[in-house]
Amino acid sequence: MFDLTDPASLGFAPDRLARIEPFLREAYIDSRRLPMTQLLVARDGKPVYYGKLGTMGEGRGDLRDDALFRIASMTKPITSIAFMQLVEQCKVALEDPITKVFPEFAGLQIYAGGGGSIPFMPGRDAPPIRFVDLLTHMSGFTYGLQNRTNIDAVYREHNFDFARRHLDSDEFVARLSQLPLEFAPGERWNYSVSTDVLGIAVERISGQRLGDYFAEHIFKPLGMVDTAFGVADGQSERLVDAFQYVPGSAPQLFDAGIGSSLAKPGRFDSGGGGLVSTIADYHRFCSMLVNGGELDGIQIVSPKTLALMTANHLPDGADLTQLSQSMFSESQNAGVGFGLGFACVIDAAKTLMPTSKGEYYWGGAYSTAFFVDPVEAITMVFMTQVYPSSVYPIRRQLKTLIYSALTDSRA
């Protein structure tokens, strides 16, 4: 599927890269902890390792090279890039209050009590949410899947986390604007629907539905031919089955690829988690990132914009362990800050894993992951399909295996 470059010519030990497949087979595939794995490692945009194991799902054949995966929150960096394209055109600014685009969010209050069987109590007025607060997840919004507070519970009642089939963009905003914020914008970090709101902002500013904007301004220029909010007609056989972790047994089928509702049109394009993609397409996206926002002569964003996006925007240089109150996120990692749509390594030693200062990354709820190391010019894309992503330490293990095979560091 990929034209692999000789790993030794790009500073990797082939025998050490060869450790990856037997590890994944023994630890995850043969033990049925994961139904499939697909991994691509590249340097300078050139693939040096590609491997796939497992099947398309229950009773289906071997995993296809062109398999389609639900990439969930790996949608967020794409939405963030789209918004920053509009910032570059001065159609919006990071410091603008979101009420410039969303008058519905005027008069928000901070949670003071209530919820569940009783109405929310009146709270103090919240300062304006800025677009930068959406990008950094410091808006005061939350996710229903956090499952910690009464606000989370109301998010679940509205099913904001999975709005594709039952809400359009305006309905999403209308319902969300009636709920209190968990905290004052800019005060804390909480993984949330912020990027969904950001995607709706892209729609309102551009005048295009989010999927159409992505297709014109990101996917077509990058040659990402299989990435979309859903599955094209006749392509359902390429969509892998999705599974959910069950303690003490193999993951259970959650959404079959053949017959999935993703083959039907949706009402809402979730900028926070709605895309379906392939490992080849997401590799194209990562290649653009590691190349400073450009690929094959096409500039998606400028190098300076990308540098701003991948810098730590948490106040006073804090990391996620100091400011996060989230459960389902990457916030267990010390030494990791957050930029405009990406987590970013700010103290490599504190992460307790091989990495580079300035590396940025994220993952999806179905255990997919990517990282971009601009120091070493290394990218990784990993695909599988088990929810939730916090079950196994596979992201840490993959980074360890990849960096242990690096023999020529550019640091």
Side-chain angles (χ1 to χ4, degrees):
M1 179 181 181
F2 296 99
D3 293 326
L4 297 181
T5 299
D6 175 23
S9 71
L10 286 173
F12 282 96
D15 60 326
R16 287 177 167 247
L17 285 175
R19 297 171 177 172
I20 296 174
E21 181 170 323
F23 171 81
L24 290 175
R25 185 181 299 280
E26 180 180 354
Y28 289 102
I29 299 300
D30 291 348
S31 64
R32 300 181 65 201
R33 298 168 82 192
L34 292 176
M36 79 287 288
T37 62
Q38 197 177 32
L39 176 67
L40 180 64
V41 181
R43 196 173 203 187
D44 297 324
K46 301 173 183 177
V48 296
Y49 178 89
Y50 171 68
K52 62 184 175 74
L53 296 168
T55 69
M56 295 291 291
E58 288 195 350
R60 302 176 65 185
D62 290 345
L63 182 65
R64 296 171 54 151
D65 290 320
D66 65 349
L68 295 166
F69 292 84
R70 304 155 190 82
I71 63 170
S73 288
M74 282 166 58
T75 305
K76 288 181 170 71
I78 296 175
T79 303
S80 302
I81 288 286
F83 182 81
M84 294 304 292
Q85 288 180 326
L86 300 175
V87 170
E88 288 189 328
Q89 298 168 49
C90 292
K91 293 182 177 180
V92 66
L94 291 172
E95 64 267 27
D96 283 343
I98 67 172
T99 50
K100 183 174 180 178
V101 174
F102 299 106
E104 300 97 323
F105 287 121
L108 290 175
Q109 296 185 337
I110 299 170
Y111 178 72
S117 60
I118 62 174
F120 287 115
M121 295 176 59
R124 61 186 172 91
D125 290 341
I129 301 173
R130 302 166 300 159
F131 285 106
V132 67
D133 298 322
L134 296 179
L135 283 151
T136 58
H137 291 286
M138 297 185 71
S139 62
F141 294 138
T142 188
Y143 261 137
L145 57 78
Q146 299 282 4
N147 202 15
R148 300 158 299 116
T149 69
N150 286 345
I151 301 179
D152 298 340
V154 176
Y155 274 51
R156 290 194 298 278
E157 289 176 12
H158 289 293
N159 201 14
F160 288 137
D161 300 359
F162 303 97
R164 182 178 190 271
R165 285 177 287 179
H166 69 101
L167 295 176
D168 65 24
S169 296
D170 289 342
E171 291 168 340
F172 189 99
V173 171
R175 294 190 186 191
L176 184 62
S177 66
Q178 299 304 307
L179 305 179
L181 299 177
E182 289 217 332
F183 51 81
E187 184 179 278
R188 288 194 296 243
W189 190 91
N190 186 47
Y191 203 38
S192 71
V193 299
S194 289
T195 317
D196 286 303
V197 177
L198 193 73
I200 301 170
V202 172
E203 292 185 331
R204 292 192 178 186
I205 295 167
S206 70
Q208 294 179 276
R209 184 159 171 171
L210 191 61
D212 294 334
Y213 181 93
F214 283 176
E216 180 178 347
H217 298 282
I218 298 176
F219 299 155
K220 185 177 180 180
L222 291 179
M224 296 172 65
V225 296
D226 287 315
T227 306
F229 287 106
V231 178
D233 290 343
Q235 298 298 309
S236 291
E237 289 190 358
R238 294 173 56 195
L239 180 65
V240 300
D241 293 349
F243 295 81
Q244 185 165 10
Y245 172 75
V246 177
S249 68
Q252 300 298 305
L253 183 66
F254 175 77
D255 180 42
I258 299 174
S260 172
S261 62
L262 288 167
K264 301 175 183 178
R267 299 186 65 202
F268 179 63
D269 291 347
S270 168
L275 286 175
V276 173
S277 189
T278 62
I279 199 167
D281 272 12
Y282 215 87
H283 165 64
R284 298 282 296 174
F285 182 70
C286 289
S287 296
M288 175 273 294
L289 294 174
V290 79
N291 202 39
E294 177 268 332
L295 187 65
D296 295 340
I298 298 175
Q299 199 78 42
I300 301 298
V301 292
S302 79
K304 282 294 188 182
T305 295
L306 191 57
L308 177 66
M309 295 182 72
T310 56
N312 184 25
H313 285 257
L314 302 184
D316 301 319
D319 70 11
L320 288 175
T321 63
Q322 296 168 293
L323 283 185
S324 172
Q325 61 182 49
S326 291
M327 295 175 64
F328 292 90
S329 70
E330 302 290 336
S331 57
Q332 69 271 22
N333 289 336
V336 175
F338 204 84
L340 306 180
F342 305 89
C344 50
V345 175
I346 56 176
D347 189 328
K350 286 185 178 179
T351 69
L352 299 181
M353 70 178 87
T355 185
S356 298
K357 183 178 181 180
E359 179 188 297
Y360 52 97
Y361 66 91
W362 204 239
Y366 295 100
S367 302
T368 60
F370 80 96
F371 74 75
V372 176
D373 182 342
V375 175
E376 303 289 358
I378 294 171
T379 60
M380 179 209 80
V381 184
F382 175 71
M383 296 293 194
T384 188
Q385 210 80 151
V386 171
Y387 177 93
S389 62
S390 56
V391 174
Y392 306 126
I394 190 164
R395 294 171 179 171
R396 176 181 293 267
Q397 291 165 338
L398 287 172
K399 286 187 70 174
T400 300
L401 288 163
I402 292 165
Y403 279 112
S404 69
L406 183 65
T407 57
D408 182 13
S409 173
R410 299 176 186 175

